[in-house]
Structure formats: structure tokens, C-alpha cells
Amino acid sequence: MIDYLLSDTSFWAMLGVIVFFGILAWFKVPGMIAGQLDDRAAKIKNDLDEARRMREEAQELLASFQRKQREAEAEAEAIIEQAKADAKHLRDESRTELAARLERRTALAEQRIAQAEAHAVAEVKALAADLATDAAARLISENLKKADHSKRIKADLDDLEKRLN
């Protein structure tokens, strides 16, 4: 049976496998493999922890940026609302100022028109007085004699003296 076992290739293959595993056990290869696998698992765990930490930081940054964006949008809305209010106020103020200017200009124009009317009336009165004086002088010179003329001048001078005293 020993001859049979020595000639059987299965026996030698099995013996080689047993020797191979024995050598591996002697040099503590399974412990080294297990150590390397443990180191690899620890590295993977550290990488996963780092990735998780980075993901959390990224989420915090994203939340911070979103909050800042909302604040900026709210601030922009407030600025727009303030600008609209300012524009409305300026428009109302401009309308009020324009109305006041128009009133002042209208009053000034009316005043100038009144002055022009008064000046025209004064000119017409002066012209009428000049015409009346000229007409009266012509009538008096044509209708009065020299003696009547002298009496009339004397009476006017006496009347003037009474009024001046």
C-alpha cells in the first residue's frame, strides 16, 4: 500500500498542499495576511470616516451658503423696496415742486399782466388828458377874447392862491 501511495499523484499533491500550508503556518503567513487585512480594513475605515467628516463639512458649508444666499436675497428685496419707496417719494416731491413752480410762474405772469394793464391804463389816461388839454386849449383860444382870457387867468390865479394858503 505504501507503493501504491508513493505512485499515486493525488497523494503527492495532497502531501505538497499539506507541506505548503505547514510552511505558511511556520512563517506565520496567515497572521501577516490577517495583519495586512486588518491594516487595510483600518485604512478603509479611516478613509470612510474622513469621507463622512468631509461630507458633513460640505453639508455645513452648503447650508451656510444657502443661508447667506437667502440673506442676500432678502437684503436685495429690502434694497429694491427701499429704492421703490425712494423713487415714489422723489416722484411725489417732484410733482409738488413742479406744481409750486407753476403756481409761482402763473402768479408772476398774472402780476406782469396786471402791471402791463395798469401801465396801459395810465398811458391811455395820460394820452386822454393830453388830448383833453389840447382840445380845451384850442376851444378856449378860439372862443375867448383876449379880455376874457385875462379875466379867466386872473380868476385861476386867485383860486390857486387860496388853495395854496
Side-chain angles (χ1 to χ4, degrees), residues 12-31:
W12 290 110
M14 188 162 130
L15 183 64
V17 168
I18 291 171
V19 170
F20 175 72
F21 282 118
I23 292 172
L24 288 178
W26 179 265
F27 287 109
K28 300 179 183 176
V29 172

Side-chain angles (χ1 to χ4, degrees), residues 118-133:
H119 183 67
V121 168
E123 283 183 6
V124 167
K125 284 182 180 180
L127 184 61
D130 288 344
L131 287 175
T133 304

Side-chain angles (χ1 to χ4, degrees), residues 77-89:
E77 279 296 319
I79 289 171
I80 289 170
E81 290 301 319
Q82 182 63 39
K84 286 180 181 178
D86 289 347
K88 184 176 184 264
H89 176 70

Side-chain angles (χ1 to χ4, degrees), residues 123-162:
E123 283 183 6
V124 167
K125 284 182 180 180
L127 184 61
D130 288 344
L131 287 175
T133 304
D134 288 343
R138 230 183 285 140
L139 280 174
I140 291 173
S141 65
E142 289 174 4
N143 291 334
L144 289 179
K145 297 179 189 168
K146 200 165 189 148
D148 290 337
H149 205 24
S150 296
K151 284 184 192 177
R152 183 77 178 143
I153 290 175
K154 192 174 182 182
D156 285 341
L157 285 174
D158 290 339
D159 185 42
L160 185 60
E161 276 183 36
K162 287 180 188 174

Side-chain angles (χ1 to χ4, degrees), residues 76-135:
E77 279 296 319
I79 289 171
I80 289 170
E81 290 301 319
Q82 182 63 39
K84 286 180 181 178
D86 289 347
K88 184 176 184 264
H89 176 70
L90 286 174
R91 184 178 58 237
D92 293 343
E93 192 175 285
S94 295
R95 283 182 181 164
T96 304
E97 186 179 328
L98 180 62
R101 281 186 185 175
L102 287 175
E103 286 181 28
R104 282 194 305 269
R105 287 191 180 192
T106 302
L108 184 63
E110 288 173 354
Q111 184 182 13
R112 285 182 182 168
I113 290 170
Q115 286 175 350
E117 285 177 357
H119 183 67
V121 168
E123 283 183 6
V124 167
K125 284 182 180 180
L127 184 61
D130 288 344
L131 287 175
T133 304
D134 288 343

Side-chain angles (χ1 to χ4, degrees), residues 4-18:
Y4 174 73
L5 283 176
L6 292 175
S7 65
D8 187 17
T9 57
S10 300
F11 170 74
W12 290 110
M14 188 162 130
L15 183 64
V17 168
I18 291 171

